Amino acid sequence: MSHSNVSNTSPKVTGLSELAKHVDYSLLTQLNRDPQATDSGEDHSPRQVFSGHYVPVKPIPITAPKYVAHSKQLFSELGFDDSLATDAGFTQLFSGDTSQLPAPMKPYGWATGYALSIYGTEYTQQCPFRTGNGYGDGRAMSVVEGVFNNKRWEMQLKGGGPTPYCRGADGRAVLRSSVREFLAQEHMHALGVATSRSLSLYVSSTDTVERPWYFEGSHSTDPEIMVSNPVAISTRVAPSFLRVGQLELFGRRARKQEHDTALEELEQLVLHIIEREYTEDIASDLPLAEKVLMLAESFKELLTSLVTDWIRVGYCQGNFNSDNCSVGGFTLDYGPFGFCEAFEAFFQPWTGGGQHFSFLNQPAAAEKNFDMFCSALKPLLASTPESLDKLDNILADFWPLIEMKIERMWASKLGLETFDADTFRELIQLMVKTPVDYTMFFRELSAIPSEFSALRECFYKQPDQEQDKLWNQWFVKWHASVMAIGDISLTSQKMKQVNPKYTWREWLVVPAYQQAAEGDYSLIHELQSVLTNPYDEQSTEIEEKYYKKRPLELFGIGGVSHYSCSS
């Protein structure tokens, strides 16, 4: 990651004039602009983009923006004063208006194209032009890149209007999905899971769009009605928004020699990825082939750790296509995601996702994305067959590596020094047969109770007599293993550091965005406070409100248990 001489003791940024001093658009200066792009960024209709790494696009601002929330922790990390969140110029920029920015800030944003592959299969025919040249950031556009407190960050609007990749959609995001993404990024960061971050959230006082949704209490898989929703813009922040799908697009163009500079553009993108995400791992003076191999090795480490953490905290991405997979190894694109409440091995919040993207299948989906990542790099190694062999070996090591990390993770959740396959297998079998709250069970286990009865509150349905006997047998065996370690207090403390007390419970988030649509943001702020301290013991009032199982009548409800789209 690039650095500058900005000091942590620098005066806090209180307005756009100070923010402008930190901008540094490395993506725009180091990569190629689409040759067919406009200078103004007025480029909002679907079209094919044949070459170039980005398209300048001017956001379309929402009308009469109102402040909803911002991340105080990220503001602090960036050196932003909290007052900046309600500053008129800041509000204007991060609600989509780039018309009055001080130099050297750009009066436009930028969108990028990427390929689509689903579980290792490349798709081009589904794009409007049946070529694959219409896929990309349809309603996401970056507006700032800069160095803040010695770290490079990119700031991207979600819902800032259509881009050339919009495929005919309106380019807007609704308040519901914006609240979900804002809070989820805050929560995941607090959980210690690598993620894009939340900066700010604004809603229009007047603009609405219609989206398909469910009747209240409906068990339908597919939405049944069109609902009017307030339009919102959330801003997400990351070291970069470069994706595996992006690398795939340029790898495909190089492989097929789609234009004269295809191989050159692939190399430019790879070197830019290294500069943005892997400077500390990969020296700039190495030969290209060596850099490419080190990139694959470094990404493998990050991706395997990321998916291991997803399982640790109960997170399911829902739609883990390659275009939703960051090359920086962090969680990106909070669309039809969900958190496992009643444990299901194949928990899947997205109705279109299938079992291959379900909760415990996420390691296999990650391996498919890594396969596509490695395939995209191969044109750069074509002249060195020995490098291709090494790349194949790196790919072959993905599954043993993630398997080892996941075993270590399960051991840590259970408070064991080493992974015990029998103890784990017996537990999973019992959890499948007797519905148990994933987060509450491991948190209560972290207290290392002396009796199995202490765990009964975690069950959605009490085990029958035979299952109860098996649960007790498992508990006695597990308890003996933990007691044999020695310092029970220390073991319990370590378990509580990997087993959160508070998790994302969709049925508790729904009222927050419903109230927000009526202009009341208090529940969003309360949830933000709870979800950014997920490992802490909070007040009795908060515990009674948020540390509890989903009511049985809310299982299978559209918009709570499952989504057909991200809106």
Side-chain angles (χ1 to χ4, degrees), residues 333-390:
D333 275 352
Y334 290 86
F337 72 90
F339 282 76
C340 188
E341 292 187 73
F343 173 74
E344 295 177 61
F346 300 121
F347 165 65
Q348 167 56 285
W350 182 36
T351 58
Q355 202 173 88
H356 51 277
F357 287 148
S358 62
F359 181 43
L360 291 188
N361 275 345
Q362 292 182 112
E367 184 181 36
K368 293 291 186 182
N369 286 340
F370 188 64
D371 188 359
M372 301 307 283
F373 176 90
C374 291
S375 295
L377 295 174
K378 286 183 177 180
L380 297 177
L381 302 177
S383 62
T384 53
E386 65 277 10
S387 296
L388 288 170
D389 290 340
K390 289 179 181 177

Side-chain angles (χ1 to χ4, degrees), residues 495-506:
M495 290 177 70
K496 288 178 179 178
Q497 289 170 351
V498 297
N499 293 318
K501 177 155 186 170
Y502 294 97
T503 188
W504 180 280
R505 297 183 184 275
E506 196 72 41

Side-chain angles (χ1 to χ4, degrees), residues 15-27:
L16 285 187
S17 57
E18 289 100 345
L19 192 153
K21 297 173 184 176
H22 298 267
V23 298
D24 179 14
Y25 301 93
S26 71
L27 186 142

Side-chain angles (χ1 to χ4, degrees), residues 11 38 83 97 103 169 181 203 223 248 266 281 308 314 319 345 431 442 472 476 479 489 497 511 539:
T38 65
S83 65
D97 187 346
E181 179 155 328
V203 64
E248 271 186 89
L266 174 62
D281 302 325
T308 299
N319 183 14
M431 290 172 70
F442 281 103
N472 272 283
V476 168
H479 193 265
S489 176
Q497 289 170 351
S539 69

Side-chain angles (χ1 to χ4, degrees), residues 122-322:
E122 193 175 82
Y123 291 85
T124 57
Q125 295 294 308
Q126 287 72 17
C127 114
F129 315 102
R130 304 178 72 80
T131 60
N133 291 321
Y135 288 127
D137 295 323
R139 59 174 176 173
M141 59 190 79
S142 296
V143 291
V144 174
E145 185 197 327
V147 180
F148 304 90
N149 276 341
N150 299 316
K151 289 183 69 176
R152 182 173 293 277
W153 296 100
E154 186 172 330
M155 300 176 182
Q156 186 173 81
L157 307 183
K158 183 82 171 281
T163 78
Y165 304 106
C166 67
R167 291 184 276 167
D170 57 30
R172 290 306 192 191
V174 302
L175 181 61
R176 175 185 67 245
S177 62
S178 301
V179 167
R180 293 182 78 243
E181 179 155 328
F182 180 88
L183 290 175
Q185 288 173 147
E186 287 273 84
H187 183 43
M188 289 283 271
H189 178 68
L191 286 167
V193 181
T195 180
S196 53
R197 305 284 298 278
S198 294
L199 181 72
S200 59
L201 174 58
Y202 299 95
V203 64
S204 171
S205 303
T206 57
D207 300 347
T208 61
V209 292
E210 290 206 332
R211 292 288 189 266
W213 201 239
Y214 304 88
F215 287 117
E216 186 174 351
S218 171
H219 285 76
S220 173
T221 300
D222 299 317
E224 304 136 303
I225 51 172
M226 297 297 291
V227 176
S228 180
N229 297 264
V231 167
I233 291 181
S234 60
T235 298
R236 55 190 182 189
V237 179
S240 81
F241 287 97
L242 302 163
R243 306 153 183 257
V244 172
Q246 210 165 337
L247 193 61
E248 271 186 89
L249 174 64
F250 289 89
R252 183 186 77 205
R253 288 175 174 169
R255 187 176 73 242
K256 295 183 177 181
Q257 300 179 327
E258 289 187 4
H259 56 83
D260 291 343
T261 59
L263 186 62
E264 179 188 336
E265 288 197 335
L266 174 62
E267 181 177 335
Q268 286 177 299
L269 180 61
V270 167
L271 292 176
H272 188 69
I273 288 169
I274 290 170
E275 180 174 328
R276 293 289 291 277
E277 300 286 358
Y278 296 98
T279 299
E280 295 175 4
D281 302 325
I282 303 171
S284 60
D285 57 353
L286 293 173
L288 178 62
E290 195 168 339
K291 286 181 177 179
V292 168
L293 293 173
M294 292 181 72
L295 172 62
E297 191 67 55
S298 296
F299 180 52
K300 180 183 67 178
E301 282 293 333
L302 292 179
L303 185 58
T304 51
S305 293
L306 174 67
V307 175
T308 299
D309 262 340
W310 284 358
I311 294 172
R312 176 177 65 83
V313 301
Y315 175 81
C316 182
Q317 177 81 339
N319 183 14
F320 199 28
N321 295 341
S322 62

